[in-house]
Amino acid sequence: AQTVTQSQPEMSVQEAETVTLSCTYDTSESDYYLFWYKQPPSRQMILVIRQEAYKQQNATENRFSVNFQKAAKSFSLKISDSQLGDAAMYFCAYLIPNNDMRFGAGTRLTVKP
Amino acid sequence: EPEVTQTPSHQVTQMGQEVILRCVPISNHLYFYWYRQILGQKVEFLVSFYNNEISEKSEIFDDQFSVERPDGSNFTLKIRSTKLEDSAMYFCASRVTGGSYNEQFFGPGTRLTVL
């Protein structure tokens, strides 16, 4: 079974600082995709970044980057220069092609001014 | 930019009543999904739908649930007799088919409150 684990229920960061959110997953598949979604108080799911498992290069999207360690089955999200608008729940998710997504339990990020 | 839409944004119902949650997927998408998120918990897969039939469903998707694509645009989730524990955020998602990567695009969700 594919499972996604986010071991940090809550994280806090000072505005303009950097924070890293952890995610590990369990799978026997070789072809899969990993995602980080942001869920603000509106509860809409917003895609932050995605990583293809076959790519060795870590994905980056502006202030967001990942540290993808395939052998360790780890997929952490780094947010640089944190902004107040980054405060939200962050969900790590896993997808096998042509299948449903599996989500972690989420990490609530607080940004302190 | 095309997006998935869901109506209503918030639905309040009495226990035992039937509810229908509506979704309009992105127009050229062919796979459709429903996910559920109980308050404070993770997003859970309910069902996937392709070619006018269910392609996969989770253990949550019991006989109280059904899905339908009644016309060329809408994709609905029906809960036949709601229970208190059905209170949750329900997300619809859709994707195109073909290729090895098919990102699922999520709608804004419908908050269902069962009293």
Side-chain angles (χ1 to χ4, degrees):
Chain A
Q2 295 86 28
T3 58
V4 180
T5 302
Q6 293 179 247
S7 59
Q8 306 153 316
E10 295 185 2
M11 289 287 283
S12 179
V13 64
Q14 204 71 35
E15 193 176 7
E17 296 293 309
T18 296
V19 65
T20 299
L21 309 184
S22 301
C23 174
T24 58
Y25 58 94
D26 182 28
T27 184
S28 56
E29 302 288 335
S30 59
D31 184 18
Y32 54 89
Y33 301 85
L34 297 163
F35 305 85
W36 279 97
Y37 280 89
K38 172 184 178 181
Q39 188 180 47
S42 67
R43 298 190 72 184
Q44 182 157 3
M45 298 291 282
I46 302 168
L47 179 64
V48 174
I49 198 165
R50 67 174 172 88
Q51 173 82 42
E52 294 88 338
Y54 63 85
K55 288 188 177 179
Q56 291 187 333
Q57 187 173 7
N58 290 323
T60 61
E61 286 287 340
N62 301 313
R63 296 183 296 107
F64 299 87
S65 61
V66 298
N67 184 5
F68 174 47
Q69 301 290 325
K70 190 172 184 178
K73 296 180 182 175
S74 169
F75 182 61
S76 60
L77 174 70
K78 185 170 82 171
I79 306 174
S80 304
D81 185 26
S82 298
Q83 300 175 359
L84 296 178
D86 294 335
M89 282 291 287
Y90 286 82
F91 290 95
C92 178
Y94 163 96
L95 172 70
I96 307 172
N98 301 315
N99 213 318
D100 59 279
M101 298 188 84
R102 302 296 168 97
F103 290 83
T107 297
R108 181 176 303 282
L109 178 66
T110 303
V111 181
K112 297 178 179 178
Chain B
E1 186 174 333
E3 57 185 20
V4 178
T5 59
Q6 290 185 242
T7 54
S9 57
H10 190 189
Q11 173 88 47
V12 181
T13 189
Q14 295 289 326
M15 188 171 57
Q17 294 297 303
E18 174 185 285
V19 294
I20 298 176
L21 309 183
R22 291 184 166 79
C23 169
V24 179
I26 295 173
S27 62
N28 63 332
H29 287 190
L30 297 177
Y31 278 85
F32 314 113
Y33 302 82
W34 283 102
Y35 291 85
R36 179 183 81 176
Q37 185 186 28
I38 295 172
L39 184 63
Q41 298 186 23
K42 66 180 178 182
V43 178
E44 300 173 292
F45 167 73
L46 288 177
V47 65
S48 60
F49 191 87
Y50 172 71
N51 199 26
N52 283 320
E53 61 183 23
I54 291 173
S55 52
E56 189 180 357
K57 60 182 180 180
S58 72
E59 61 276 8
I60 302 170
F61 194 87
D62 61 23
D63 292 343
Q64 292 296 316
F65 292 91
S66 63
V67 289
E68 192 178 32
R69 189 153 163 83
D71 53 41
S73 60
N74 288 283
F75 177 52
T76 62
L77 174 69
K78 181 193 289 186
I79 308 175
R80 212 177 322 276
S81 177
T82 50
K83 304 187 286 286
L84 294 177
E85 53 265 38
D86 293 328
S87 294
M89 197 78 169
Y90 288 81
F91 292 100
C92 173
S94 71
R95 67 172 174 89
V96 298
T97 187
S100 60
Y101 168 63
N102 306 119
E103 177 181 344
Q104 295 181 24
F105 293 81
F106 283 81
T110 292
R111 185 191 302 271
L112 176 65
T113 302
V114 182
L115 302 176

